Amino acid sequence: MKSLSTNGFAWFITISMLCLLANSQLTTNFYSNSCPNLFSIVRKQVLNAVKTETRMAASLLRLHFHDCFVNGCDASVLLDGSDGEKTALPNNNSARGFEVVDAIKTAVESSCSGIVSCADILAIAARDSVLLSGGPSWKVLLGRRDGLVANQTGANSMLPGPFEPVDNITLKFQAVGLNLTDVVSLSGAHTIGRASCATFGNRLFNFSGTNAPDSTLLDANMVSGLQNLCPVNGDSSRVTDLDWNSTDLFDNHYFQNLINGRGILESDQFLYSSDQAVSTTRSIVELYSNNTKLFFNDFANSMIKMGNIQPLTGSAGEIRKNCRVVNS
């Protein structure tokens, strides 16, 4: 792989995306007249969903992330279809919360029909999910419109994966106008949520099926429990909490876990333990592990930046009546 400093294509994409961000027409008061109760409507629905299933907060946050990295923040991840983003490898049988988004959209439509985009609903729901989990709040920029097509190929290639090294992930963030601080702060979203055996089972056993944990990166005290959860040839869809210290609470324990070798996903642990991390992400992980306020501030700023990735505005796209299909 070329180094980041010499990868001209990556920098070209970064500059192009930053220009798009600079020209964004999103505002915090976009619906103040057309749908004044929007925030309270969304908050109520997210609260109901999280009360029913605490994990849903992480799922809604992840939907917004997976939407914005593919085609920009245009709700393309919500579109049904065998060739949609839902069935791309990073999302298939793992992306969730679509029914909650449907419920939010129905509630919003009953109050202000044909006004609010599904893309904006995702952005607000992500903020509320973090806040209701004990994390920071921020003023969500609004005015996005919904895309007309999904991009399964893009979802397969552009979304960061659980096995990727720091350089690969950084390049994917740069391609959408995000920097190294954004990489680490947004990874901190893994302080809530869960991961399936399929995303970390490779760290627990060797190919012969005998115990051979990756002791250099994964805390040995965690290995036996994870091996019991994810035995060889077992159910790869079984899940465990990404943060064993404070399940479903949005805090900075994720970064403390990385320092202690307790990052369950390989890509997470790479942010601290890999050779690449020494000159890139390790110092940021250490800062956040000791300073919750700094992490919360940077996370909120990164979420605002991510929410500004290539939004459709003005007359582009449409306001979908049903988040799962384009308007007929």
Side-chain angles (χ1 to χ4, degrees):
M1 175 182 295
K2 295 182 179 179
S3 66
L4 299 183
S5 61
T6 60
N7 194 315
F9 175 75
W11 283 114
F12 171 78
I13 293 295
T14 300
I15 293 170
S16 299
M17 290 303 303
L18 288 175
C19 290
L20 285 171
L21 299 185
N23 293 325
S24 172
Q25 302 172 36
L26 307 184
T27 65
T28 58
N29 62 349
F30 189 83
Y31 299 107
S32 59
N33 294 322
S34 59
C35 193
N37 297 321
L38 174 62
F39 289 113
S40 60
I41 294 170
V42 176
R43 178 71 57 83
K44 180 180 178 180
Q45 294 298 320
V46 174
L47 180 59
N48 289 341
V50 172
K51 282 182 176 179
T52 300
E53 182 189 8
T54 310
R55 179 187 177 191
M56 189 53 65
S59 298
L60 292 172
L61 175 58
R62 185 169 182 257
L63 274 184
H64 182 44
F65 180 95
H66 280 217
D67 179 43
C68 290
F69 264 66
V70 184
N71 287 5
C73 307
D74 67 344
S76 57
V77 73
L78 302 178
L79 290 171
D80 286 340
S82 60
D83 59 346
E85 293 166 33
K86 288 182 178 179
T87 51
L89 184 60
N91 293 323
N92 194 32
N93 297 320
S94 67
R96 41 196 317 277
F98 300 109
E99 294 80 8
V100 175
V101 176
D102 292 339
I104 298 172
K105 178 65 171 176
T106 297
V108 170
E109 285 292 302
S110 68
S111 179
C112 32
S113 179
I115 300 296
V116 181
S117 68
C118 301
D120 278 347
I121 286 174
L122 281 180
I124 301 170
R127 189 274 310 274
D128 288 352
S129 294
V130 172
L131 180 62
L132 293 172
S133 300
S137 183
W138 58 91
K139 291 186 177 181
V140 181
L141 295 174
L142 301 169
R144 303 168 190 82
R145 289 169 64 84
D146 299 321
L148 303 177
V149 294
N151 185 354
Q152 187 177 95
T153 300
N156 281 325
S157 63
M158 299 172 71
L159 289 170
F163 314 112
E164 291 190 87
V166 173
D167 281 359
N168 283 24
I169 291 176
T170 301
L171 285 172
K172 289 184 176 183
F173 272 66
Q174 285 185 336
V176 293
L178 301 178
N179 61 30
L180 204 60
T181 297
D182 301 317
V183 170
V184 183
S185 64
L186 291 175
S187 295
H190 286 170
T191 188
I192 57 176
R194 292 158 177 78
S196 68
C197 295
T199 62
F200 61 85
N202 64 303
R203 307 184 67 197
L204 307 178
F205 303 97
N206 65 16
F207 292 109
S208 67
T210 59
N211 289 4
D214 184 355
S215 58
T216 61
L217 293 180
L218 186 61
D219 177 21
N221 293 325
M222 299 179 68
V223 172
S224 61
L226 291 174
Q227 288 176 336
N228 289 333
L229 176 73
C230 307
V232 175
N233 298 322
D235 183 359
S236 63
S237 65
R238 297 184 70 182
V239 297
T240 187
D241 296 313
L242 282 167
D243 181 355
W244 286 14
N245 290 335
S246 54
T247 303
D248 299 317
L249 178 64
F250 198 100
D251 56 25
N252 71 335
H253 285 172
Y254 163 84
F255 302 103
Q256 297 170 12
N257 289 340
L258 299 188
I259 292 174
N260 293 320
R262 297 174 67 85
I264 290 178
L265 297 180
E266 198 169 26
S267 57
D268 284 342
Q269 193 61 54
F270 280 154
L271 295 175
Y272 185 77
S273 300
S274 66
D275 291 339
Q276 295 171 349
V278 174
S279 60
T280 56
T281 53
R282 179 179 293 179
S283 61
I284 306 175
V285 170
E286 291 172 340
L287 283 173
Y288 292 161
S289 73
N290 291 310
N291 192 328
T292 299
K293 183 177 180 180
L294 177 63
F295 165 48
F296 277 16
N297 181 74
D298 284 357
F299 181 84
N301 287 334
S302 293
M303 286 296 293
I304 293 170
K305 287 177 64 177
M306 188 185 78
N308 265 298
I309 296 173
Q310 205 171 356
L312 298 175
T313 58
S315 60
E318 65 182 12
I319 305 299
R320 278 185 227 143
K321 299 175 183 177
N322 178 340
C323 292
R324 294 174 179 266
V325 296
V326 297
N327 296 339
S328 57

